[in-house]
Structure formats: structure tokens, C-alpha cells
Amino acid sequence: QFHFKGAFEQQSLKRELDMLLRFRSDSFPDDLLVSRLGGLVTWDDGLSIMGLLVEYIHGSKTLGYAAEDASKAEREKWAQQIRATVKKLHDANVTWGDVKPDNVLIDANGDAWVIDFGGGCAEGWVDQELEGTKEGDLQGLSSVENFLG
């Protein structure tokens, strides 16, 4: 099963597609908690991309929603998983680019998945001048960890 993500902005689509294709390489272990590319959806002409199919994360809800009723242990687990994922991404020279609770899904097993690699910058989570950088990811990670408090 896959989730359809519409291609509304070409630069964002290009960045996300590039990131998702990189996750298919041997540099990224299969157990890395990031969304994966399932395929492309094209218009009838077969040339223009309508959107992406990304791995469906079963039983998922956003971190912002899940954190409302979470125990301290769950919050700490999620912070550690997100931190470990960001470190592995940075070790492979990949930036997440849009760090915020809405771009983390908690699956049915209680694991935190990092999603949305199209870039961008959510006000209040990352300073605009750090958008798309490792420093921005680290600032966003710190903001998310503070949110999980």
C-alpha cells in the first residue's frame, strides 16, 4: 500500500524524488525509519509527473497528535529515533529539510518515521536562512526535542 503525494511544485518534487531515490542505495539500510518511494504517477501523456507514491506507514499518526497522550518514555524513544535518523541522513550527506512534528509519523508499533523530503521551512521550527541545511535540520531537531520535552 502506498500514499499518494501530489506534485504541486516542481522544485520540491525534484528534491523529494532525488532524496527518495537515494534511499534505494546501499548507503541506506532497509531499517532506516524514512518514507520510501513506491513509484511515480504520471498524466496520460506519460511525460509529466502528477505525483509520487510513497510507502504507506500503517496505523500512523503525526508526532504532534501522538505526543498529546504519550508517556515520557514514548516521547524519549521518539526523540532518540528521530535523532538517530537525522544523524544517518547527515552521515550520508542528506538533509531532511523540513523538520517539524507534522513530518514525523508514529506507526502502529510506536516507532517514529521521518517523512517529507521536499524541502521547505516551517516557521517556528527552523530559521528561514537555515532552510535545507544540516544546521537547519539540527535546529529543527532541537525544536522537536523541546516540543517532546
Side-chain angles (χ1 to χ4, degrees), residues 6 9 17 32 34-35 37 41 45-46 55 61 77 82-83 96 98 104 106 113-114 116 122 136-137 145 149:
E9 202 275 312
L17 183 57
L32 184 65
V34 296
S35 55
L37 180 66
V41 178
D45 65 9
E55 179 180 13
K61 49 190 162 187
K77 172 186 170 182
I82 298 164
R83 191 177 319 109
W96 182 1
D98 194 8
V104 176
I106 306 302
W113 290 73
V114 169
D116 193 354
D137 281 0
E145 289 174 334

Side-chain angles (χ1 to χ4, degrees), residues 24-119:
R24 291 181 166 206
S25 76
D26 292 339
S27 304
F28 296 95
D30 290 337
D31 63 349
L32 184 65
L33 297 173
V34 296
S35 55
R36 307 285 178 156
L37 180 66
L40 300 176
V41 178
T42 61
W43 292 99
D44 289 340
D45 65 9
L47 302 173
S48 303
I49 298 174
M50 183 186 304
L52 306 173
L53 294 176
V54 291
E55 179 180 13
Y56 180 77
I57 300 169
H58 294 278
S60 62
K61 49 190 162 187
T62 66
L63 178 64
Y65 181 75
E68 291 177 9
D69 300 320
S71 68
K72 181 175 172 135
E74 289 172 313
R75 290 168 174 257
E76 288 173 356
K77 172 186 170 182
W78 298 334
Q80 186 281 324
Q81 287 178 323
I82 298 164
R83 191 177 319 109
T85 299
V86 169
K87 180 180 181 341
K88 289 176 185 175
L89 292 173
H90 287 184
D91 287 348
N93 207 28
V94 170
T95 57
W96 182 1
D98 194 8
V99 182
K100 60 184 179 184
D102 286 347
N103 287 339
V104 176
L105 295 180
I106 306 302
D107 70 11
N109 296 321
D111 291 318
W113 290 73
V114 169
I115 64 165
D116 193 354
F117 293 90

